[in-house]
């Protein structure tokens, strides 16, 4: 019912979906690199993150299972199994955070959002018992009005 009554004055253009897609892809790439760094940390090499210039160029060797590709001074890189386990854990966390962000965004700006809903405190202030008791003389003057014989 609300969708049919309201329209958005801003047209849905290509910028918002492209920015969202690029943000998701960047988060997945950073998750892949962070998973590799976590694998090397567990393997005893310390936390070493790839240089930002090699962030995308090391993706192919990394996807091939080379945990030390593009990292400076990694003595014994993590094994392939450890690499994929750590990458899976970090990517799962990244996907969960992305899903949570999508839900928050759709609840706030999505087509099925609730428009014009008051918070519980606002509803209590406008319709609650406190207001009814405060304005009882106006609402039910026969019960809560000025005493008889007095001034009204």
């Amino acid at each position: 019912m609300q969708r049919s009554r309201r329209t958005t004055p801003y047209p849905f253009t290509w910028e918002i979906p492209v920015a969202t897609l690029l943000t998701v892809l960047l988060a997945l790439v950073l998750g892949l690199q962070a998973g590799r760094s976590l694998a090397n940390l567990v393997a005893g090499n310390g936390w070493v993150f790839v240089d930002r210039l090699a962030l995308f160029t090391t993706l192919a060797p990394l996807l091939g299972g080379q945990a030390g590709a593009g990292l400076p001074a990694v003595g014994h890189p993590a094994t392939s199994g450890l690499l994929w386990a750590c990458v899976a854990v970090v990517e799962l966390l990244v996907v969960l955070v992305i899903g949570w962000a999508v839900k928050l965004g759709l609840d706030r700006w999505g087509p099925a959002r609730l428009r014009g809903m008051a918070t519980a405190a606002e509803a209590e202030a406008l319709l609650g018992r406190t207001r009814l008791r405060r304005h009882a003389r106006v609402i039910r003057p026969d019960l809560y009005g000025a005493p008889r014989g007095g001034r009204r």
Side-chain angles (χ1 to χ4, degrees):
M1 181 170 138
Q2 289 182 5
R3 266 190 234 164
S4 64
R5 289 187 289 145
R6 302 186 189 252
T7 60
T8 177
Y10 188 74
F12 189 68
T13 61
W14 61 272
E15 293 97 347
I16 296 171
V18 168
T20 304
L21 178 68
L22 289 176
T23 302
V24 167
L25 289 176
L26 181 63
L28 291 173
V29 167
L30 289 174
L32 189 67
Q33 297 287 2
R36 183 251 302 261
S37 295
L38 179 65
N40 283 323
L41 176 69
V42 171
N45 294 315
W47 181 266
V48 181
F49 200 75
V50 68
D51 186 42
R52 66 182 169 94
L53 296 176
L55 188 66
F56 295 103
T57 57
T58 58
L59 284 180
L62 181 58
L63 291 174
Q66 298 176 12
L71 294 179
V74 174
H76 304 287
T79 62
S80 180
L82 179 61
L83 172 69
W84 290 119
C86 290
V87 165
V89 167
V90 172
E91 288 293 336
L92 178 66
L93 291 175
V94 167
V95 168
L96 287 175
V97 168
I98 289 171
W100 175 72
V102 166
K103 173 157 180 8
L104 284 179
L106 286 176
D107 287 348
R108 175 70 172 100
W109 297 292
R113 72 183 183 265
L114 293 176
R115 294 182 178 106
M117 294 298 295
T119 64
E122 291 170 337
E124 163 62 29
L126 292 175
L127 305 171
R129 289 183 181 178
T130 307
R131 182 176 183 270
L132 289 175
R133 288 195 175 116
R134 198 173 13 168
H135 299 290
R137 297 177 72 196
V138 175
I139 297 169
R140 292 292 307 263
D142 58 330
L143 294 176
Y144 303 104
R148 295 185 193 259
R151 295 190 316 187
R152 285 191 179 214

